[in-house]
Amino acid sequence: LGEKAELQKMQDDEEITEQERIKREELYKSYVAFEKKHGDREGIEDVILTKQRAEYSKRVKDDPLDYDGWFEYAKLEEEHGDQTTVRDIYERAVANVPPAQEKQYWKRYIYLWIYYAVYEELQNNDLDRAAEVYQACLSLVPHAKFSFSKIWIYAAKLHIRRRDLAAARKLFGKAIGVSGKEMIFTEYIALELALGEVDRCRALYTNYLKAMPHNCRAWSKYADLERSVGETERCRALYELAVSQPELDMPEMLWKGYIDFEIEEGQGDNARKLYKRLLDRTGHVKVWISYAQFEGTEIGRGIEEARQVFDRAYQQLKEEGLKEERVLLLDAWRVFEKAKGDSTSVSKVEAKLPRRVKRKRMKADDDGNEIGWEEYFDYHFPDDQDAAASNLKILEMAAKWKKTQASANDGDDDSDDSENSDSDSEDE
């Protein structure tokens, strides 16, 4: 592959004089005019194709790394050329390897190999040559610095279409060792799962999670696999091992999957314990809402327990000063009461709803410099206003007491002064 590139390049580099080039252009224009006047449709199309070929040939000659030009040139020949010409174009194209071993320069280049392999498979029905194209591409990519999952996957799937399962597995295994990207694991597992090879899937998931223990999606898929084959205890053990990992990329997805699993299995007590464990880690309002809604279901402890959960969540969010989260909680609580409560319970929740007020505050940049005023919405809760009124009353009483004390002290000072003046006059 690529052996004909140098020969073609030498032919393209043939030097001609300026005078010769002008003569050729004039001759070509005369030929086009003649065909348009006297030729048929086929002749005119041939003239146009000849012109397009000349333009693409000059374009890729001027800039051999113009991969888009090679794509268009190859497509033109696929539609109107023969097999030998198309292969020659692809061979010349892939010979122009990017000058630097940086992935950004290779992203377009590898598609030349992919299109070449697809052409061999679909147009020529030559699967063996397509496999050789993929193999040549894989041998060219500097995997020590970067790799491309799609090349490994396309090559392995081609082996499957060639009915060579052993070669596909071997290539996937090599890809895991060389690249080890997530997409390769998922595609290999999907292959084994389609073949019903559960034990192979387990081995792959084990290696997958050894390489990426933080990947919550992998943990969830592994647990789903065990559940699908009826291994409930293995599924529960996997979830337990997953949530105990020190770092996870999407822990909320993992916890949700674990809780949903216990609920679907009818294990309400286990689900309740999981909610409490999760609330010890995070007091997020969505966790509180989900917990309360769970208690209101058939597997939960009933409506009263759900109301208690809503109330505990409301009090905690109030202590933390999270106003927007309190609004979300109250909205969910109101929806819950409308579905399962009565008008009285709905009214109690609605009485807690805040009043939205528009305010202004000074906006600052990252350096702390003031850059102007901005408007924002604040929430005034009825129970917060009652507390504020109570605090204001206490302050007023304290001020009144202080004033009384000050007046009493002034009276004592006046009496002392009068007694002192009386004693002074007696001494005289």
Side-chain angles (χ1 to χ4, degrees):
L1 297 173
E3 293 178 355
K4 300 179 181 178
E6 291 299 325
L7 179 60
Q8 184 65 37
K9 187 176 180 181
M10 292 175 61
Q11 294 174 353
D12 290 341
D13 290 341
E14 180 185 0
E15 295 183 359
I16 60 174
T17 62
E18 182 67 17
Q19 186 177 2
E20 181 67 19
R21 186 182 63 80
I22 294 173
K23 286 183 178 180
R24 290 185 180 185
E25 290 179 355
E26 291 178 351
L27 181 62
Y28 179 74
K29 289 179 181 179
S30 300
Y31 172 56
V32 171
F34 177 82
E35 286 291 345
K36 287 182 178 180
K37 186 175 181 180
H38 302 287
D40 54 8
R41 180 176 179 180
E42 184 178 352
I44 295 173
E45 289 179 351
D46 185 62
V47 169
I48 295 173
L49 284 174
T50 303
K51 182 179 180 182
Q52 288 179 330
R53 286 188 175 106
E55 290 175 350
Y56 282 127
S57 179
K58 183 178 185 303
R59 178 177 172 182
V60 296
K61 178 183 176 182
D62 294 339
D63 184 8
L65 299 179
D66 180 8
Y67 300 127
D68 290 330
W70 286 110
F71 288 136
E72 296 171 11
Y73 196 1
K75 184 178 180 181
L76 177 70
E77 294 298 344
E78 284 184 25
E79 293 176 352
H80 304 284
D82 56 14
Q83 183 185 94
T84 304
T85 305
V86 176
R87 284 178 174 174
D88 181 65
I89 295 298
Y90 275 120
E91 292 285 343
R92 290 165 55 196
V94 298
N96 298 290
V97 181
Q101 291 188 353
E102 296 181 15
K103 193 170 185 177
Q104 58 178 333
Y105 300 117
W106 288 66
K107 288 182 178 180
R108 293 293 290 165
Y109 170 71
I110 63 165
Y111 277 98
L112 289 171
W113 291 96
I114 294 173
Y115 287 2
Y116 190 5
V118 170
Y119 167 75
E120 292 292 351
E121 180 181 1
L122 299 183
Q123 300 296 328
N124 300 333
N125 199 25
D126 192 343
L127 274 66
D128 292 337
R129 186 175 176 87
E132 292 177 4
V133 171
Y134 279 125
Q135 185 59 41
C137 179
L138 288 171
S139 64
L140 193 63
V141 176
H143 299 288
K145 294 186 177 181
F146 56 85
S147 188
F148 295 95
S149 302
K150 57 175 65 69
I151 296 294
W152 293 103
I153 294 169
Y154 292 164
K157 288 185 175 181
L158 176 63
H159 285 307
I160 296 171
R161 292 192 291 273
R162 294 174 64 224
R163 301 183 184 278
D164 192 350
L165 182 59
R169 283 172 170 165
K170 183 178 179 180
L171 193 60
F172 267 128
K174 184 178 179 181
I176 289 174
V178 174
S179 177
K181 291 188 176 183
E182 182 178 2
M183 189 182 298
I184 296 174
F185 278 108
T186 56
E187 290 290 342
Y188 194 2
I189 291 170
L191 168 63
E192 297 295 354
L193 192 60
L195 296 172
E197 297 287 348
V198 177
D199 290 335
R200 285 181 177 271
C201 290
R202 286 171 176 159
L204 288 171
Y205 271 121
T206 301
N207 293 329
Y208 187 1
L209 291 170
K210 283 181 180 178
M212 307 173 194
H214 62 278
N215 194 319
C216 292
R217 189 178 291 103
W219 285 106
S220 297
K221 292 291 185 181
Y222 193 4
D224 290 341
L225 170 66
E226 295 296 351
R227 188 182 180 193
S228 66
V229 296
E231 294 287 348
T232 304
E233 291 302 321
R234 289 175 68 98
C235 178
R236 183 176 288 112
L238 280 171
Y239 272 124
E240 194 62 36
L241 184 61
V243 297
S244 64
Q245 297 299 312
E247 293 184 6
L248 294 170
D249 55 359
M250 291 185 292
E252 65 281 355
M253 182 188 77
L254 199 60
W255 279 96
K256 184 180 184 302
Y258 194 1
I259 292 171
D260 290 344
F261 161 73
E262 295 292 0
I263 292 174
E264 291 172 5
E265 290 294 320
Q267 300 295 325
D269 292 337
N270 290 346
R272 188 174 295 106
K273 291 176 182 178
L274 288 174
Y275 272 119
K276 292 179 179 179
R277 287 171 58 186
L278 182 55
L279 286 171
D280 289 338
R281 297 191 178 196
T282 173
H284 198 279
V285 62
K286 290 185 178 180
V287 179
W288 281 110
I289 293 172
S290 179
Y291 183 18
Q293 291 172 344
F294 156 74
E295 293 292 4
T297 60
E298 295 180 357
I299 199 175
R301 291 178 176 174
I303 297 176
E304 290 301 323
E305 182 67 23
R307 286 170 179 160
Q308 292 179 14
V309 174
F310 272 122
D311 187 65
R312 290 201 305 271
Y314 182 79
Q315 295 301 326
Q316 179 172 328
L317 295 174
K318 179 181 177 181
E319 291 175 1
E320 296 175 359
L322 302 175
K323 293 185 177 182
E324 293 184 359
E325 285 77 1
R326 287 165 69 187
V327 174
L328 292 175
L329 181 74
L330 289 173
D331 287 339
W333 193 353
R334 180 171 58 177
V335 172
F336 174 81
E337 293 293 350
K338 287 182 178 180
K340 298 182 179 294
D342 51 24
S343 58
T344 304
S345 60
V346 173
S347 299
K348 288 181 179 179
V349 176
E350 290 179 344
K352 297 176 179 291
L353 291 173
R355 180 169 55 90
R356 195 168 73 162
V357 181
K358 184 183 289 186
R359 294 182 177 276
K360 288 185 178 181
R361 61 187 173 192
M362 181 59 68
K363 188 177 180 181
D365 57 14
D366 296 336
D367 298 329
N369 301 319
E370 296 181 352
I371 58 176
W373 294 91
E374 67 173 356
E375 292 184 346
Y376 72 101
F377 287 102
D378 193 12
Y379 296 97
H380 286 182
F381 292 84
D383 47 0
D384 290 347
Q385 293 176 356
D386 294 340
S390 178
N391 293 334
L392 181 60
K393 187 174 181 181
I394 293 172
L395 291 174
E396 290 176 353
M397 293 175 64
K400 185 176 180 180
W401 177 82
K402 186 176 181 181
K403 185 176 181 181
T404 305
Q405 288 295 109
S407 300
N409 291 334
D410 291 342
D412 293 341
D413 292 340
D414 293 341
S415 61
D416 292 340
D417 291 341
S418 61
E419 291 177 359
N420 292 332
S421 61
D422 292 340
S423 62
D424 291 341
S425 59
E426 290 177 359
D427 291 340
E428 291 176 357

